[in-house]
Amino acid sequence: MNASSVVIAAQRVARWRSAPLPWLLLAALAALPLLSPSPNFVRLLFTTFLWVTTSMAWNLVGGFAGQVSFGFAVFYGMGAYTTALLMNTGVDPVPAFAASALSAALVSLVVGVPAFRLRGPYFAIATIGISEAVRVVMTNLSFTGGASGYRIVEHRPFHQLEHYYSALLLAALAFVISALIAHAKFGLGLQAIRQDEDAAADLGVNPYPYKLAVHALAAALTGVAGGVFARYAAFIHPAGVFGFHTSVHILLMPVIGGIGTVWGPVLGGFVFGIVEEEIVASFPQVHLLIYGSLLILIILFEPGGILGGLGKLFRRFRGRR
Amino acid sequence: MEDADPILEVDKVTRYFGGLAAVKDVSFKVRQGQIFGFMGPNGAGKTTLFSMIAGALKPSSGKIRSRGRDITGAPAFKLIKLGIARTHQIVRPFREMTVLENVQVAVHFGKQAVTGRAAARERAIEALGYAGIDQLANYPAAILSVGHQKRLEIARALATDPDLLLSDEICGGLTHAETSEMLALLRRIRDSGTTVMYVEHDVKAITSVCDRIMVLNYGRKLAEGTPDEIQNDPAVIEAYLGTRARGRS
Ligand SMILES: Nc1ncnc2c1ncn2[C@@H]1O[C@H](COP(=O)(O)OP(=O)(O)OP(=O)(O)O)[C@@H](O)[C@H]1O
Ligand SMILES: [Mg+2]
């Protein structure tokens, strides 16, 4: 059994399930507030939807196109600060989110334009460099309060459910985008690039603009997630939204769930979103170490993530009969 | 009669790898509607020549033109749009995709740049049928036999809708029956209007199917002519057929 057959099996499982499942899930999550859940539970789901969104966004670049990024915090942070700054000048949330998408996409080009010209690990390395650089700049930028952070004052009453539905809508949008892309021309082109860039070029795929485009798209989604978060939190600071741990979280989720698939990052995002706070609370000093070890274990033993493992089980079960 | 703008014109093309000239001062013209064959011992430079024509490698010097247009050093993804496609001697399927998806990529990004998914699938199935592997459409490409993967190479290249197809050793490792099927396929491709360039070691195969043949040796052009002329060329017999015969004993 090799890795590719596992991925294919996982894709089969995913495709087989994918018809009514997303709609049921969306309906259930949309109806959930009817059960009057505790505000704390709503908050947990709100954060989870944002994680799921960034997880799917990362997967577009890292999973479909095979371009591993350690710098998605840059987009999350850009989105957060863009929304924060605009809302404090009186801009409405939705246009502010759109501006977040735009600013994050623009930043993605700063990384992508030089790094995607090169083959090999340059992109991954560049993402680390730029994300540290941006964090340092933001830590020292006075008009956003530097390291001490930035407060958002919204002159409207706070409705938790409004935030809940914004995040759910965003996650649904990310899902639709990723599901539509997966089997369309764009997605096939990306997957061809991941699997054999030269062979892809030999069939007419121009890898460079494709990588730039998918990177910008992922950045835009991540930027909006940052914006939605900023509005909810009403306070952001560089060590949080721009922190390296944010990048690690965003990369870890799709890996946990199963990269390169539509459902894997959703699964990974939910699992992570629900246990993350517990882990940080229980292991405040070493939680990044735990994530790092988890990452290594998955890559070594189950590169297909949860979905890959399920696919294996599914086939073993079928094989028995 | 000279063709004013041949589909391919290679003019004193040279490619160095370090100090080694893998291809040295090679010139030739391919006319539309031919099957143009390339022979030569291992390491003669056939694949290197194909890679330069198809845009995977840049020549160190020389010019390559197609229908009068300079395409020297143009990248592969642009040449596909001009109707030049290649297969790989060492097969390179997208292993995590199905056979059908492999070909869909070629339809989507080929000369016609088909966008719609349904249309792309339809064309892809057509190309698979043409290459004789449509029954394998939904299998993962990774599990195909080498023979089938070679057919997949052809199906993908054809699905880009080429005017010039460069096929590199598509019969290597095939049985006798499979080889004759492949050759019949090449003829069909030519008869449908696609010019074919064909590298093969099997002398019988290449002389039976080609309209014209060029022999390479140590990166240089040794001879060019009809299959008959090539088979009776003393230099070819000495350098290629001769060493092959000796190598066998
Ligand atoms: N990427 C490369 N780097 C260095 N040397 C190379 C490279 N590609 C080919 N060569 C060398 O160039 C020469 C020509 O190789 P090429 O693959 O073109 O020969 P060929 O005629 O296709 O041989 P075969 O019949 O074995 O396929 C060989 O000496 C080979 O070792
Ligand atoms: Mg070769």
Side-chain angles (χ1 to χ4, degrees), chain B residues 42-43 45-48 89 168-169 199 201:
Chain B
N42 291 111
K46 306 178 295 291
T47 298
T48 305
Q89 178 179 357
D168 195 349
E169 292 202 30
V199 166
H201 274 293

Side-chain angles (χ1 to χ4, degrees), chain A residues 2-5 7-8 11-12 15 179-180 183-207 210, chain B residues 54 56 76-77 80-81 84-86 88 92-98 101-102 104-106 108-110 113-115 117 138-142 156-157 160:
Chain A
N2 57 34
S4 61
S5 65
V7 171
I8 285 158
Q11 285 169 349
R12 284 265 160 75
R15 220 172 290 168
L180 283 182
H183 301 290
K185 176 176 180 175
F186 189 55
L188 280 176
L190 295 173
Q191 293 173 56
I193 291 169
R194 178 190 74 224
Q195 293 177 37
D196 189 336
E197 188 165 336
D198 292 320
D202 284 338
L203 296 176
V205 182
N206 183 358
Y210 256 61
Chain B
F77 59 80
I80 283 288
K81 290 349 184 229
I84 300 177
R86 62 105 55 109
H88 301 96
R92 297 179 82 157
F94 303 121
R95 302 178 61 84
E96 294 172 23
M97 289 185 196
T98 65
E101 285 168 336
N102 264 269
Q104 269 173 265
V105 172
H108 279 312
F109 293 91
V114 175
T115 314
R117 210 171 125 190
N138 293 316
Y139 282 85
R156 279 199 320 197
T160 67

Side-chain angles (χ1 to χ4, degrees), chain A residues 119-265:
Chain A
R119 287 281 186 92
Y122 298 101
F123 172 69
I125 293 166
T127 60
I128 300 175
I130 194 100
S131 94
E132 274 313 281
V134 169
R135 193 181 57 77
V136 169
V137 168
M138 293 306 292
T139 306
N140 294 294
L141 206 61
S142 56
F143 79 96
T144 57
S148 46
Y150 189 73
R151 192 164 297 285
I152 300 135
V153 186
E154 193 174 356
H155 298 287
R156 296 208 293 186
F158 174 83
H159 291 298
Q160 199 191 25
L161 284 182
E162 193 185 330
H163 294 271
Y164 176 89
Y165 284 115
S166 324
L168 179 58
L169 210 64
L170 178 62
L173 176 72
F175 183 87
V176 168
I177 288 175
S178 133
L180 283 182
I181 282 178
H183 301 290
K185 176 176 180 175
F186 189 55
L188 280 176
L190 295 173
Q191 293 173 56
I193 291 169
R194 178 190 74 224
Q195 293 177 37
D196 189 336
E197 188 165 336
D198 292 320
D202 284 338
L203 296 176
V205 182
N206 183 358
Y208 184 62
Y210 256 61
K211 290 179 190 170
L212 282 182
V214 76
H215 193 222
L217 176 63
L221 284 170
T222 308
V224 179
V228 173
F229 169 77
R231 183 185 169 212
Y232 181 90
F235 173 76
I236 50 178
H237 63 121
V241 288
F242 280 110
F244 186 61
H245 62 92
T246 302
S247 292
V248 172
H249 294 175
I250 295 177
L251 163 150
L252 189 64
M253 292 179 287
V255 174
I256 292 176
I259 60 170
T261 62
V262 174
W263 279 102

Side-chain angles (χ1 to χ4, degrees), chain B residues 110-191:
Chain B
K111 200 172 71 189
Q112 310 281 349
V114 175
T115 314
R117 210 171 125 190
R121 284 174 73 93
E122 204 170 294
R123 296 266 194 100
I125 289 170
E126 232 170 75
L128 285 172
Y130 204 79
I133 48 170
D134 46 339
Q135 77 282 3
L136 301 173
N138 293 316
Y139 282 85
I143 69 166
L144 261 51
S145 69
V146 175
H148 285 146
Q149 290 191 346
K150 296 231 169 195
R151 284 173 182 268
L152 176 55
E153 284 281 340
I154 295 186
R156 279 199 320 197
L158 282 180
T160 67
D161 190 21
D163 303 312
L164 177 64
L165 172 71
L166 289 76
S167 54
D168 195 349
E169 292 202 30
I170 48 174
C171 292
L174 299 193
T175 65
H176 200 73
E178 288 172 329
T179 301
S180 22
E181 275 178 43
M182 274 296 196
L183 297 181
L185 176 59
L186 282 189
R187 288 195 192 93
R188 276 212 303 282
I189 293 169
R190 175 199 53 198
D191 295 344

Side-chain angles (χ1 to χ4, degrees), chain B residues 227-238:
Chain B
D228 270 352
E229 288 166 359
I230 290 298
Q231 278 169 298
N232 295 314
D233 189 312
V236 174
I237 293 168
E238 170 57 27

Side-chain angles (χ1 to χ4, degrees), chain B:
Chain B
M1 267 276 294
E2 273 294 289
D3 203 336
D5 283 331
I7 189 151
L8 188 74
E9 190 177 354
V10 171
D11 187 11
K12 291 219 182 81
V13 160
T14 297
R15 169 73 200 208
Y16 285 99
F17 290 113
L20 170 88
V23 172
K24 180 77 179 162
D25 284 333
V26 169
S27 303
F28 62 94
K29 288 178 189 172
V30 179
R31 292 245 221 84
Q32 182 119 19
Q34 290 183 326
I35 299 182
F36 196 115
F38 293 81
M39 296 168 38
N42 291 111
K46 306 178 295 291
T47 298
T48 305
L49 183 62
F50 268 28
S51 296
M52 288 189 285
I53 296 167
L57 275 178
K58 288 195 195 329
S60 308
S61 65
K63 285 270 173 249
I64 304 173
R65 279 180 286 268
S66 177
R67 295 190 185 113
R69 179 179 189 153
D70 187 357
I71 56 165
T72 318
F77 59 80
K78 280 198 184 139
L79 295 176
I80 283 288
K81 290 349 184 229
L82 298 177
I84 300 177
R86 62 105 55 109
T87 71
H88 301 96
Q89 178 179 357
I90 298 163
V91 293
R92 297 179 82 157
F94 303 121
R95 302 178 61 84
E96 294 172 23
M97 289 185 196
T98 65
V99 170
L100 182 63
E101 285 168 336
N102 264 269
V103 184
Q104 269 173 265
V105 172
V107 178
H108 279 312
F109 293 91
K111 200 172 71 189
Q112 310 281 349
V114 175
T115 314
R117 210 171 125 190
R121 284 174 73 93
E122 204 170 294
R123 296 266 194 100
I125 289 170
E126 232 170 75
L128 285 172
Y130 204 79
I133 48 170
D134 46 339
Q135 77 282 3
L136 301 173
N138 293 316
Y139 282 85
I143 69 166
L144 261 51
S145 69
V146 175
H148 285 146
Q149 290 191 346
K150 296 231 169 195
R151 284 173 182 268
L152 176 55
E153 284 281 340
I154 295 186
R156 279 199 320 197
L158 282 180
T160 67
D161 190 21
D163 303 312
L164 177 64
L165 172 71
L166 289 76
S167 54
D168 195 349
E169 292 202 30
I170 48 174
C171 292
L174 299 193
T175 65
H176 200 73
E178 288 172 329
T179 301
S180 22
E181 275 178 43
M182 274 296 196
L183 297 181
L185 176 59
L186 282 189
R187 288 195 192 93
R188 276 212 303 282
I189 293 169
R190 175 199 53 198
D191 295 344
S192 75
T194 300
T195 308
V196 177
M197 289 169 64
Y198 177 41
V199 166
E200 197 64 69
H201 274 293
D202 184 338
V203 179
K204 242 193 214 146
I206 200 163
T207 50
S208 72
V209 79
C210 290
D211 303 300
R212 204 170 171 76
I213 295 174
M214 192 179 114
V215 182
L216 279 169
N217 199 22
Y218 295 110
R220 290 172 186 274
K221 175 168 163 177
L222 192 67
E224 185 191 329
T226 62
D228 270 352
E229 288 166 359
I230 290 298
Q231 278 169 298
N232 295 314
D233 189 312
V236 174
I237 293 168
E238 170 57 27
Y240 183 71
L241 305 174
T243 52
R244 249 182 100 82
R246 271 203 296 278
R248 268 204 202 124
S249 57

